[in-house]
Amino acid sequence: MRASIFSLISLSLLGVTLPLLMTSSCGRAPIESLEEPGGTINVTGAFSDWTPSTSSFANGVFLLLDPNTNEVFKSDTINSADPKFTIENVPVTGKYYGILLDSRFEPRAYLEKTGSDSKKQRVFKIGSSDGNFGTIVVRDSILESSSQTNLDFQSNYGIANKDYAEKQFSQDFTTNFNPNPDIDGDGIPNVIDTNVDGDSKDNIFDSSTYEGKSLKISDSAISSQYNYGYGINKSGYFKCDHLRTPTSKDNSAFNLRFSCGLKLPAGAVEKVELVTAKTFRDEAKNFDESAKFDWEMTDNGTQGDLISSDGIWGGIFNIAEGNPDAFPEQVILATATLKDGSKKTYITTLEPTYKLKNKDAEPIAKFTSNDAFEITFLLGTLGGAVEGFQLSATIIKDSDDTEIHTFSQPLKDANKATIQGVGQLNLSATTDEQKYRIKVKISAPAAMPGLLGSAFEIFSETLEYIPPAP
């Protein structure tokens, strides 16, 4: 990058003079520490609807998202009777998306302007605005500010391209850092994009990209500017995986267990709180479902946190599927209170769930011999890319729900697998007729190395084992 030109200016805000370092750099690099370089500014504004009766901003939250760091700076809940807001201590060196979340914590509208080439520009710097957004008008999915001309929109950074659906990674992978907050050009920043590379596969089932190019790279190797979290920065990594599991033998009811992780410097944080839609906050149960979830993450080796005091904060909560509903782009925030009293907030999505299905109406499981069974399922969104996926199957005695054994192996085929019991199943030693069920589980690769990602389970129909005649 060519050398930056620095100029030192002062802004007087609320009677306080702040030294601000303005630079022509590419904004804040991915977080290496929790200290903010270059000074901060307070951002103010007020909301108004294009059609006032809609109150589309009511009970929502306005965010400034820095896509290089996954950090957000947010307003309080917007009151329709008095829709003014203030966001304090926003770094002037950052480049931001302005996003309105509705009361369901789903992105409703983006602050943007249309360039001369008809592409939408959604990333801007706030320095020249003195932090004053003026009145922000909500027009469907677009936010427009009365001070919009004072926002420095970035003409080559975060451009929404109407033809993004046909793009699908035209470049080969490079290890050179080149910040691109929206690599598929659909106008949604990578950090909350459920299909970050525009290939029609949800992130949770997208184990590799650049397929068919000169170099095929697994998502876990792609640096953070190309993915919402798979290239883990030293700080600011935030992701929520989930497990969809049946709670009834006939697969008529399912539970969703969300497992969230936030990576911050060890010893720097006092507490971390999660927040998402109120319906989730009211209904969520804790790790062992003995009580309501308190929406606090831990770094003490309990409640889903694996290792105490390692700087990786964990939080697990359970929701009965459909009560309440999760939305395809619903986001969740994690606010860390540092030991010096300051706060930092990070964002990710609650990824859409996926349902395992029988393939071509075949039974999802059947015995093929005394020590083997075959599992057949439908994972159409994988498109054959199953690198890093894991298949497990638990055989369960139907009469008393006793789990006899769990088999696990890498998934090699997106639609079918045969598992040999290798003597552990040993049904030939059974002299009585028995009925069993198989619980099938597919686990996607995780963003955090060494762990499984989101997973999906389903029960087979009842299988009857009849021992051979003596």
Side-chain angles (χ1 to χ4, degrees):
M1 184 184 299
R2 61 186 176 85
S4 298
I5 300 173
F6 298 91
S7 62
L8 190 63
I9 67 172
S10 292
L11 288 181
S12 179
L13 295 175
L14 303 177
V16 179
T17 299
L18 299 177
L20 301 181
L21 190 62
M22 302 302 290
T23 173
S24 62
S25 70
C26 295
R28 295 192 300 163
I31 299 174
E32 299 288 333
S33 72
L34 296 181
E35 295 181 2
E36 294 292 358
T40 62
I41 195 171
N42 289 351
V43 172
T44 61
F47 273 89
S48 177
D49 277 318
W50 184 243
T51 306
S53 61
T54 63
S55 296
S56 58
F57 58 78
N59 301 314
V61 176
F62 181 61
L63 303 178
L64 294 173
L65 164 62
D66 185 332
N68 280 341
T69 64
N70 296 4
E71 190 176 0
V72 297
F73 303 85
K74 66 184 182 69
S75 72
D76 290 331
T77 302
I78 301 168
N79 184 339
S80 58
D82 184 17
K84 296 191 295 293
F85 68 87
T86 297
I87 306 175
E88 298 181 343
N89 299 322
V90 180
V92 294
T93 54
K95 296 182 179 181
Y96 301 100
Y97 285 87
I99 306 173
L100 175 64
L101 301 182
D102 62 20
S103 60
R104 305 185 305 178
F105 271 61
E106 189 174 15
R108 179 184 181 94
Y110 289 80
L111 188 61
E112 67 180 44
K113 78 170 186 178
T114 302
S116 57
D117 56 1
S118 298
K119 293 180 180 178
K120 300 172 184 176
Q121 299 178 11
R122 287 185 170 178
V123 175
F124 53 85
K125 298 183 72 173
I126 62 173
S128 59
S129 71
D130 291 354
N132 177 23
F133 276 79
T135 301
I136 298 179
V137 178
V138 184
R139 303 190 185 198
D140 298 320
S141 62
I142 300 173
L143 305 178
E144 294 183 350
S145 165
S146 62
S147 299
Q148 191 139 334
T149 55
N150 292 327
L151 296 175
D152 181 13
F153 280 86
Q154 307 297 287
S155 59
N156 295 309
Y157 194 90
I159 303 300
N161 183 349
K162 62 183 177 62
D163 298 321
Y164 76 92
E166 290 78 39
K167 206 163 70 166
Q168 294 186 23
F169 281 112
S170 59
Q171 304 176 59
D172 281 340
F173 177 78
T174 174
T175 56
N176 296 327
F177 184 73
N178 178 25
N180 185 345
D182 178 20
I183 195 165
D184 63 0
D186 63 353
I188 302 172
N190 298 336
V191 65
I192 56 173
D193 194 345
T194 57
N195 176 21
V196 73
D197 56 4
D199 63 358
S200 78
K201 301 176 188 175
D202 291 333
N203 296 331
I204 49 176
F205 269 150
D206 199 0
S207 62
S208 63
T209 190
Y210 296 96
E211 199 166 3
K213 302 293 190 295
S214 63
L215 189 62
K216 181 179 177 181
I217 302 292
S218 65
D219 274 0
S220 60
I222 296 176
S223 51
S224 61
Q225 73 270 27
Y226 290 142
N227 214 320
Y228 61 97
Y230 285 174
I232 300 172
N233 302 321
K234 291 182 178 179
S235 300
Y237 163 79
F238 179 41
K239 183 70 176 67
C240 293
D241 293 309
H242 65 264
L243 169 65
R244 181 181 187 264
T245 186
T247 56
S248 60
K249 292 182 178 181
D250 62 356
N251 298 307
S252 60
F254 283 80
N255 185 70
L256 298 175
R257 166 170 286 196
F258 291 92
S259 178
C260 299
L262 174 65
K263 188 177 188 299
L264 294 168
V269 179
E270 188 70 34
K271 68 175 182 178
V272 180
E273 298 174 289
L274 292 168
V275 63
T276 187
K278 184 178 185 300
T279 51
F280 270 59
R281 298 198 300 270
D282 291 343
E283 297 295 331
K285 299 285 186 68
N286 69 4
F287 179 74
D288 61 5
E289 299 196 333
S290 61
K292 284 190 173 183
F293 184 51
D294 63 7
W295 292 96
E296 290 196 7
M297 303 181 82
T298 63
D299 189 17
N300 59 10
T302 67
Q303 297 290 305
D305 177 56
L306 297 179
I307 301 175
S308 178
S309 303
D310 64 348
I312 300 176
W313 293 70
I316 293 180
F317 61 93
N318 295 278
I319 296 278
E321 186 178 63
N323 184 31
D325 286 331
F327 303 100
E329 296 179 358
Q330 183 176 337
V331 303
I332 184 168
L333 305 177
T335 297
T337 301
L338 309 187
K339 290 187 175 178
D340 65 4
S342 62
K343 294 184 178 182
K344 287 187 172 291
T345 298
Y346 304 92
I347 190 169
T348 189
T349 52
L350 296 175
E351 299 272 2
T353 58
Y354 187 85
K355 300 177 182 179
L356 296 181
K357 302 175 183 178
N358 292 30
K359 177 177 168 54
D360 302 327
E362 293 184 45
I364 200 166
K366 61 185 177 183
F367 290 123
T368 57
S369 72
N370 291 338
D371 283 321
F373 51 89
E374 181 181 83
I375 297 170
T376 304
F377 44 84
L378 184 63
L379 288 177
T381 59
L382 283 176
V386 293
E387 179 183 352
F389 286 79
Q390 194 75 12
L391 166 70
S392 65
T394 300
I395 186 165
I396 301 170
K397 195 174 180 180
D398 198 61
S399 59
D400 57 9
D401 293 335
T402 301
E403 293 190 359
I404 297 176
H405 194 78
T406 296
F407 304 86
S408 184
Q409 65 187 40
L411 184 63
K412 297 180 180 180
D413 188 303
N415 294 309
K416 191 174 185 178
T418 299
I419 295 181
Q420 292 289 127
V422 194
Q424 294 169 319
L425 192 57
N426 197 22
L427 290 176
S428 58
T430 303
T431 57
D432 298 327
E433 295 184 9
Q434 295 285 355
K435 292 183 179 180
Y436 301 93
R437 282 173 291 121
I438 307 293
K439 183 166 68 174
V440 179
K441 180 178 181 179
I442 306 294
S443 300
M448 187 74 78
L451 300 178
L452 296 177
S454 293
F456 309 84
E457 294 180 332
I458 192 172
F459 285 128
S460 74
E461 63 288 305
T462 300
L463 307 179
E464 186 171 6
Y465 175 73
I466 303 176

